[in-house]
Amino acid sequence: MISKVKNAMSNLVGGMMPHGHHHHNHHSGGGQNSGQEGLPHRFPYGRPDFLDLTPELLQYSTEHASRPVVTLKRGTRLPWGAGYAEAINAGKSMLNEDQASCEKLFVRKPSSKHRNSTLVDDNGDNTGIPLHFWGVFDGHAGSGAAIMASKLLHRIIRDGLGEICHLLENPNSAPPICLAKNGSPFQTEAKKGGTQDSGEDADAVCDASVRFHMEKVVSLESLVMGVIETAFKQMDDLIEKEKTSYAISGGCCALAVVYLMGKLYVANAGDSRAIIIRNNEVIPMTNEFTPESERQRLQYLGFLRPELLGNEFTHIEFPRRIQHSELGKKMLYRDHTMTGWAYKTIVEDDLKFPLIYGEGKKARVMATIGVTRGLGDHDLKVYNSNIYIKPFLSCVPEVKVYNLDENKHGPDDVLVMGTDGLWDVTTDKEVAEAVSNYLSRCDPSDPMRYTLAAQELLMRSRGVLKERGWRLPNEKLGSGDDITVFIIPLAGHESET
Amino acid sequence: MISKVKNAMSNLVGGMMPHGHHHHNHHSGGGQNSGQEGLPHRFPYGRPDFLDLTPELLQYSTEHASRPVVTLKRGTRLPWGAGYAEAINAGKSMLNEDQASCEKLFVRKPSSKHRNSTLVDDNGDNTGIPLHFWGVFDGHAGSGAAIMASKLLHRIIRDGLGEICHLLENPNSAPPICLAKNGSPFQTEAKKGGTQDSGEDADAVCDASVRFHMEKVVSLESLVMGVIETAFKQMDDLIEKEKTSYAISGGCCALAVVYLMGKLYVANAGDSRAIIIRNNEVIPMTNEFTPESERQRLQYLGFLRPELLGNEFTHIEFPRRIQHSELGKKMLYRDHTMTGWAYKTIVEDDLKFPLIYGEGKKARVMATIGVTRGLGDHDLKVYNSNIYIKPFLSCVPEVKVYNLDENKHGPDDVLVMGTDGLWDVTTDKEVAEAVSNYLSRCDPSDPMRYTLAAQELLMRSRGVLKERGWRLPNEKLGSGDDITVFIIPLAGHESET
């Protein structure tokens, strides 16, 4: 994520330096990581395990001058034969703040042995319901949160699904509304328990048959969605908790694709993006969460909880900063209820800086951050202030479901997921065309075809280095950001699950 | 709006009874209109002026047994030759709580004469920018708010547009960001006024050229949207203000269609609906705002401001009421951040009634109201409590724009707008088919064709009275609600504007 957080003091943070060579905050008053000096890193800096980089290659992958495209080695096979490629940014941070993970796991009932030690490895035990996971994590202000999420989020999801494993094993019966402590459905008898109704409610339901009538039926699918949403919150809480013992720098956008029992669940918190390409057509699987797309939610919070604005910001949006000489004049504005604009007479309070300011990729929350959902950022403050950004950020993803088994797919039908470095300079349609063209020219039996397509996509967005910077074939500026891409084929996975 | 507000005490409220015969609240503790006994009505009960009903016909229009379909008289012509039809409910309230308006107005600079007397009639002065208005107002718990909105909302919109009349007259230049008191663009000189920047902001804009670069360009269209959004708020404020002097019962959903300078602005606050039918295809122009569609906004407010829940409600949603015997068990829930469901251990606080409860047409906010946007309802409380509903309701519409001039329309291309009585039993597609079929069989030169089509639609949703109630041709239950429909032709209005 490029310059998504102002004040570049944290850009050079990472675990690559030997312990003891810790960074200084360039500004003592605010920013990330305050109080973390001297703590060990939770996970050392590195690239995804599946790349299997030697120390030499790891160093090579950080060359800002050449920005090498790093792909899967020939011979390495990711689940479903998915393709992968990445490249570092053009110099905005020393290390690649994108991270990625790809795992095949197994959902099992929590065993008594592991009840108090979650997040364990599968240790080669291949019993249970298979679960496939692909994630991209676009870090900002350091790579600590992104690395930690890439190591743990899939395990948290697996463990959450383990808790409802007995329900997943009966996919044809709707999940019970109420469970006893042992996990079995709990039924109260008719009439029993109706006495707590205090009489103020004409609709109070005192009768089991009426109650049944009033019950919402919750699908197994929405239970899986709930597990994924909850897992993102648990991941965020874990980062906060472990920050007391470890240096975990920055925050990250998180985009996760989960395959379980015939369905793909695409969960997005941030401005990464996933699309499905089917028959050369694009099916968008994510929305981006930015100061612009979440303006009204953020303004509403600022309106209801003005103390969070620290007397420095106003929840009202103006098209530009107001000058003191404009007091008493009328200026265009909009509040949390409005989509259109109207004029208001400027009062003293309007001279504060707008909570949401700027347009497009330059839009910022409290002049600080350009993305409104993700993990981490617990210490992030407005520069030189004690105003925390975190209350305005959400760690909850939007989850969309794609029923893989209900659709037919050919070998060129894929899901493409990538960080904003990819999408900022290449549209959905251009991505779809490039991938479809590339795959159709490729030997269908080449196990590298999806990785080669990912490499092709990556080159398209990065461009080549010319005198005037990284340029695309059309001479437009390429992406100077970190770029990470998975291409996941949608056909032919039945044999391995 | 049928049984959209619980506790039918206010259903028989209206201005039709001679003054002095005022209703009693059936419950002294809560509900609407408390303290309004003895106040005169703001407007007497009636049907839209353009129907020109005699007292006899007005009485006839309230026959619940026959539910006569009331349409425009032959010879009455609404702007653009729009068609109209309405029918009263099957008995849930004495009077028809739907209201409607249709007006041609003119947008002018506010004259010094009228500066302090807004909301005046046009008095036959046909200078200015023509403005067309169609509105449907679906009242609940009385018809006072709906009647008042049908009389005044269009004038508030016209007056709001009058304030920006000088900008509308120059449609090719973007609205200035800042206006002096006399309405002319206000420009501060370069550098001037930069001194108030207190230095805490690295991006502080001290230079006019940079400032210019940071300015958002706001379109005239979004300014018109802002006027309409603001007008709904002003209408709502006016109802609140005048309730101190008049009896204005209940609240209402408001759906307004505004035609100005080649564009249709469709503004919806509530669960009425508008669609455009073009070439037999449906273009939805509204979203409905209900406890289900706005669940997360309402839960978020309840989460941030728990005092609004009065210790009686919980912002967490459960699929049914929880019984005391279920304490300590696990139950499905979702909070304001979730779309999926998860299990939580039930604690004492979860025994409170859910803020959002029920499904579909039966979903309610605090067991009271089934719609979450609209005008009025300032006194509405949870039955037998002092908990106000109004903080959870929004009076702000969602505005969608349709560029009429940029599309070609035939005589069968129309906008259909109606209250939920129409749409509850007839889908968009069925409405489009019925209208298209009817119009294609109609003499294109018959000035009544759109009214006859509206009548046809209305009959389709009301059904006919059989032994087992109002039934549709397929024997399904017809709508027992008040029903109101406008059909607005989209072609051929150029000659009259």
Side-chain angles (χ1 to χ4, degrees):
Chain A
M1 180 173 297
I2 196 155
S3 61
K4 197 151 290 171
V5 170
K6 283 285 184 53
N7 315 322
M9 65 265 186
S10 300
N11 282 339
L12 301 178
V13 177
M16 206 172 180
M17 291 83 81
H19 285 184
H21 283 93
H22 281 294
H23 62 287
H24 296 281
N25 275 344
H26 295 186
H27 308 283
S28 53
Q32 302 267 43
N33 314 317
S34 43
Q36 295 216 302
E37 291 87 354
L39 293 178
H41 287 284
R42 179 67 176 87
F43 292 96
Y45 175 80
R47 303 310 310 153
D49 289 340
F50 55 72
L51 289 176
D52 196 22
L53 298 186
T54 60
E56 207 173 8
L57 280 172
L58 178 60
Q59 188 65 51
Y60 174 65
S61 75
T62 64
E63 291 287 337
H64 294 293
S66 55
R67 301 180 73 192
V69 177
V70 182
T71 62
L72 286 183
K73 288 179 191 164
R74 193 167 281 273
T76 302
R77 192 176 186 281
L78 294 183
W80 294 16
Y84 177 84
E86 62 165 59
I88 197 168
N89 62 80
K92 62 115 189 173
S93 64
M94 198 180 86
L95 301 172
N96 188 341
E97 293 181 342
D98 280 2
Q99 292 291 338
S101 51
C102 175
E103 302 281 341
K104 181 175 184 181
L105 307 96
F106 294 90
V107 177
R108 281 189 291 269
K109 287 194 182 69
S111 71
S112 54
K113 189 174 68 173
H114 289 148
R115 219 169 237 298
N116 295 314
S117 61
T118 48
L119 306 183
V120 293
D121 208 337
D122 266 339
N123 284 324
D125 180 353
N126 288 0
T127 61
I129 303 169
L131 163 73
H132 292 79
F133 179 96
W134 297 264
V136 296
F137 304 91
D138 180 350
H140 51 255
S143 44
I147 294 172
M148 185 165 161
S150 74
K151 302 288 185 194
L152 299 180
L153 180 60
H154 52 280
R155 294 185 179 185
I156 296 177
I157 291 173
R158 177 202 58 191
D159 292 351
L161 291 170
E163 298 284 336
I164 58 163
C165 193
H166 56 301
L167 305 175
L168 296 173
E169 285 163 353
N170 294 297
N172 295 323
S173 51
I177 303 273
C178 190
L179 295 179
K181 272 180 189 161
N182 66 3
S184 62
F186 179 79
Q187 290 278 11
T188 46
E189 293 157 42
K191 303 277 184 189
K192 187 178 164 186
T195 47
Q196 91 283 5
D197 293 310
S198 47
E200 85 289 355
D201 167 35
D203 255 2
V205 178
C206 312
D207 179 295
S209 66
V210 179
R211 231 180 351 98
F212 181 77
H213 188 68
M214 300 281 289
E215 276 183 11
K216 263 192 186 172
V217 175
V218 172
S219 66
L220 201 57
E221 179 181 304
S222 62
L223 209 57
V224 174
M225 287 172 66
V227 165
I228 295 171
E229 291 171 331
T230 305
F232 273 63
K233 284 187 255 189
Q234 291 166 330
M235 185 70 238
D236 195 54
D237 290 345
L238 192 64
I239 291 172
E240 183 175 26
K241 187 181 151 207
E242 301 218 341
K243 273 179 91 93
T244 57
S245 318
Y246 297 98
I248 303 168
S249 60
C252 66
C253 297
L255 166 57
V257 173
V258 173
Y259 173 79
L260 183 78
M261 297 168 63
K263 289 176 180 169
L264 284 173
Y265 297 82
V266 182
N268 188 41
D271 64 358
S272 298
R273 188 184 299 174
I275 62 171
I276 282 175
I277 306 170
R278 193 178 66 197
N279 273 327
N280 301 320
E281 280 187 18
V282 172
I283 304 169
M285 292 303 295
T286 51
N287 291 305
E288 281 103 71
F289 297 96
T290 66
E292 287 189 319
S293 71
E294 296 213 277
R295 173 182 61 85
Q296 287 177 288
R297 175 178 75 75
L298 304 185
Q299 286 184 299
Y300 192 39
L301 178 59
F303 169 73
L304 287 173
R305 287 271 178 89
E307 70 275 15
L308 297 176
L309 301 172
N311 215 29
E312 299 281 340
F313 294 90
T314 167
H315 75 278
I316 298 174
E317 184 186 11
F318 297 100
R320 64 161 166 79
R321 270 312 281 277
I322 303 175
Q323 309 201 4
H324 209 275
S325 60
E326 292 168 326
L327 265 176
K329 307 288 180 297
K330 288 186 167 183
M331 188 168 242
L332 287 171
Y333 83 103
R334 51 182 177 176
D335 65 19
H336 65 283
T337 67
M338 300 169 71
T339 303
W341 294 78
Y343 288 100
K344 85 183 284 293
T345 301
I346 300 165
V347 297
E348 194 76 30
D349 218 47
D350 300 329
L351 298 178
K352 294 175 182 171
F353 201 86
L355 169 62
I356 307 295
Y357 190 64
E359 275 187 289
K361 293 302 282 184
K362 289 183 174 168
R364 289 282 179 284
V365 180
M366 300 205 277
T368 304
I369 189 167
V371 70
T372 51
R373 297 208 189 184
L375 307 168
D377 288 320
H378 297 86
D379 295 338
L380 185 64
K381 292 180 190 177
V382 175
Y383 174 59
N384 214 13
S385 85
N386 265 316
I387 304 170
Y388 281 93
I389 308 284
K390 186 69 175 173
F392 292 91
L393 307 179
S394 169
C395 62
V396 182
E398 180 182 48
V399 184
K400 293 197 190 186
V401 185
Y402 179 78
N403 198 322
L404 203 62
D405 285 359
E406 279 185 1
N407 292 282
K408 290 215 166 182
H409 302 98
D412 295 356
D413 293 337
V414 295
L415 183 145
V416 178
M417 61 193 291
T419 51
D420 65 333
L422 172 68
W423 308 99
D424 282 350
V425 295
T426 315
T427 65
D428 291 6
K429 198 160 166 284
E430 288 166 345
V431 165
E433 280 170 8
V435 169
S436 298
N437 280 339
Y438 192 88
L439 291 178
S440 68
R441 282 182 282 113
C442 231
D443 175 0
S445 66
D446 183 352
M448 286 292 280
R449 67 199 300 260
Y450 302 106
T451 280
L452 293 173
Q455 184 180 38
E456 166 91 357
L457 268 192
L458 207 131
M459 297 283 288
R460 262 187 88 94
S461 286
R462 187 201 65 173
V464 295
L465 189 58
K466 299 193 175 175
E467 275 170 42
R468 292 164 45 254
W470 293 90
R471 295 281 160 179
L472 307 183
N474 62 10
E475 285 303 311
K476 282 189 183 165
L477 213 54
S479 170
D481 201 355
D482 302 313
I483 311 174
T484 302
V485 189
F486 273 115
I487 298 186
I488 307 169
L490 299 180
H493 62 275
E494 296 80 3
S495 57
E496 42 176 332
T497 56
Chain B
M1 179 173 296
I2 196 155
S3 61
K4 197 150 290 172
V5 170
K6 282 286 184 51
N7 314 320
M9 66 263 186
S10 300
N11 283 339
L12 302 178
V13 177
M16 208 172 181
M17 291 83 82
H19 287 184
H21 282 91
H22 280 295
H23 62 286
H24 295 282
N25 276 343
H26 295 187
H27 307 284
S28 52
Q32 302 268 41
N33 315 316
S34 44
Q36 296 215 299
E37 291 86 353
L39 293 178
H41 286 284
R42 179 65 177 87
F43 291 96
Y45 176 80
R47 303 310 311 152
D49 288 341
F50 55 72
L51 289 177
D52 197 21
L53 298 186
T54 61
E56 207 173 7
L57 280 172
L58 178 61
Q59 189 65 51
Y60 174 65
S61 75
T62 66
E63 292 287 337
H64 294 293
S66 55
R67 302 179 73 192
V69 176
V70 183
T71 62
L72 286 183
K73 288 179 192 165
R74 194 167 280 275
T76 302
R77 190 177 187 282
L78 293 183
W80 294 16
Y84 177 84
E86 63 166 59
I88 197 168
N89 62 79
K92 61 115 189 175
S93 64
M94 199 181 87
L95 301 172
N96 187 341
E97 293 181 343
D98 279 3
Q99 292 292 338
S101 51
C102 175
E103 302 281 342
K104 181 175 183 181
L105 307 95
F106 294 90
V107 177
R108 281 188 291 271
K109 286 194 182 70
S111 70
S112 54
K113 190 174 67 175
H114 289 148
R115 218 168 238 298
N116 296 315
S117 62
T118 48
L119 306 183
V120 293
D121 208 337
D122 266 340
N123 285 325
D125 179 354
N126 288 0
T127 61
I129 303 170
L131 164 73
H132 293 78
F133 180 95
W134 297 263
V136 295
F137 305 90
D138 181 350
H140 51 255
S143 44
I147 294 173
M148 186 164 160
S150 75
K151 302 289 184 194
L152 299 180
L153 180 60
H154 51 281
R155 294 184 180 187
I156 296 176
I157 291 172
R158 177 203 58 192
D159 292 351
L161 292 169
E163 298 283 337
I164 58 161
C165 194
H166 56 299
L167 305 175
L168 297 173
E169 285 163 354
N170 293 298
N172 294 323
S173 51
I177 303 273
C178 190
L179 296 178
K181 271 180 190 162
N182 64 4
S184 62
F186 179 80
Q187 290 280 9
T188 46
E189 295 156 41
K191 303 278 184 188
K192 188 178 161 185
T195 48
Q196 91 283 5
D197 294 308
S198 47
E200 84 289 354
D201 166 36
D203 254 3
V205 177
C206 313
D207 179 297
S209 66
V210 179
R211 237 187 339 104
F212 181 77
H213 188 69
M214 300 281 287
E215 275 182 11
K216 262 192 185 171
V217 176
V218 171
S219 67
L220 201 57
E221 178 180 302
S222 62
L223 209 57
V224 174
M225 287 173 66
V227 165
I228 295 170
E229 291 171 331
T230 306
F232 274 63
K233 284 188 254 188
Q234 291 167 329
M235 184 71 238
D236 194 54
D237 290 343
L238 193 64
I239 291 172
E240 183 175 26
K241 188 181 149 206
E242 300 218 341
K243 274 179 91 92
T244 57
S245 318
Y246 298 98
I248 304 168
S249 60
C252 66
C253 297
L255 167 57
V257 173
V258 172
Y259 173 79
L260 183 79
M261 298 168 63
K263 289 175 181 169
L264 284 173
Y265 297 83
V266 181
N268 188 42
D271 65 358
S272 297
R273 189 185 298 175
I275 61 171
I276 283 175
I277 306 169
R278 193 178 66 197
N279 274 327
N280 302 321
E281 280 187 17
V282 172
I283 305 169
M285 292 303 295
T286 52
N287 290 306
E288 280 104 73
F289 297 96
T290 66
E292 287 190 319
S293 71
E294 295 214 278
R295 173 183 61 84
Q296 287 176 289
R297 175 178 75 75
L298 303 186
Q299 286 183 299
Y300 192 38
L301 178 59
F303 169 72
L304 288 173
R305 287 270 178 89
E307 70 274 16
L308 297 175
L309 301 172
N311 216 28
E312 298 281 340
F313 294 90
T314 167
H315 76 278
I316 298 174
E317 183 186 12
F318 298 100
R320 64 161 166 79
R321 270 311 284 275
I322 303 175
Q323 309 201 5
H324 209 274
S325 61
E326 291 169 326
L327 265 175
K329 307 287 180 298
K330 289 188 168 182
M331 187 167 244
L332 287 171
Y333 84 102
R334 51 182 178 176
D335 66 18
H336 65 282
T337 68
M338 300 169 73
T339 302
W341 294 80
Y343 287 100
K344 84 184 283 294
T345 302
I346 301 166
V347 297
E348 193 76 30
D349 218 48
D350 300 328
L351 298 178
K352 294 176 182 170
F353 201 86
L355 169 61
I356 307 294
Y357 190 64
E359 274 187 290
K361 293 302 283 183
K362 290 183 174 168
R364 290 282 180 283
V365 180
M366 300 206 277
T368 304
I369 189 166
V371 70
T372 51
R373 296 209 190 184
L375 307 168
D377 288 319
H378 297 86
D379 295 337
L380 185 64
K381 291 180 190 176
V382 175
Y383 174 59
N384 215 11
S385 84
N386 265 317
I387 304 170
Y388 281 94
I389 308 284
K390 187 68 175 173
F392 292 91
L393 306 179
S394 168
C395 62
V396 182
E398 181 182 48
V399 184
K400 293 197 190 186
V401 185
Y402 180 78
N403 198 322
L404 202 62
D405 286 1
E406 280 186 359
N407 290 284
K408 291 213 165 183
H409 301 99
D412 296 355
D413 294 338
V414 296
L415 184 146
V416 178
M417 62 194 289
T419 52
D420 64 333
L422 172 68
W423 308 99
D424 282 350
V425 295
T426 315
T427 65
D428 291 6
K429 197 160 167 283
E430 289 167 345
V431 164
E433 280 170 7
V435 169
S436 297
N437 280 338
Y438 192 87
L439 291 178
S440 69
R441 282 181 282 111
C442 231
D443 175 0
S445 65
D446 182 353
M448 286 293 281
R449 68 198 300 260
Y450 301 107
T451 279
L452 294 172
Q455 184 181 38
E456 165 90 358
L457 269 192
L458 206 131
M459 298 282 288
R460 261 188 90 93
S461 285
R462 187 202 65 174
V464 295
L465 189 58
K466 299 194 175 174
E467 276 169 41
R468 292 165 44 255
W470 294 89
R471 293 282 161 178
L472 306 183
N474 61 11
E475 285 303 311
K476 283 190 182 164
L477 213 54
S479 170
D481 202 355
D482 302 313
I483 312 175
T484 301
V485 189
F486 273 116
I487 298 186
I488 306 169
L490 300 180
H493 61 274
E494 296 81 2
S495 58
E496 41 174 333
T497 55

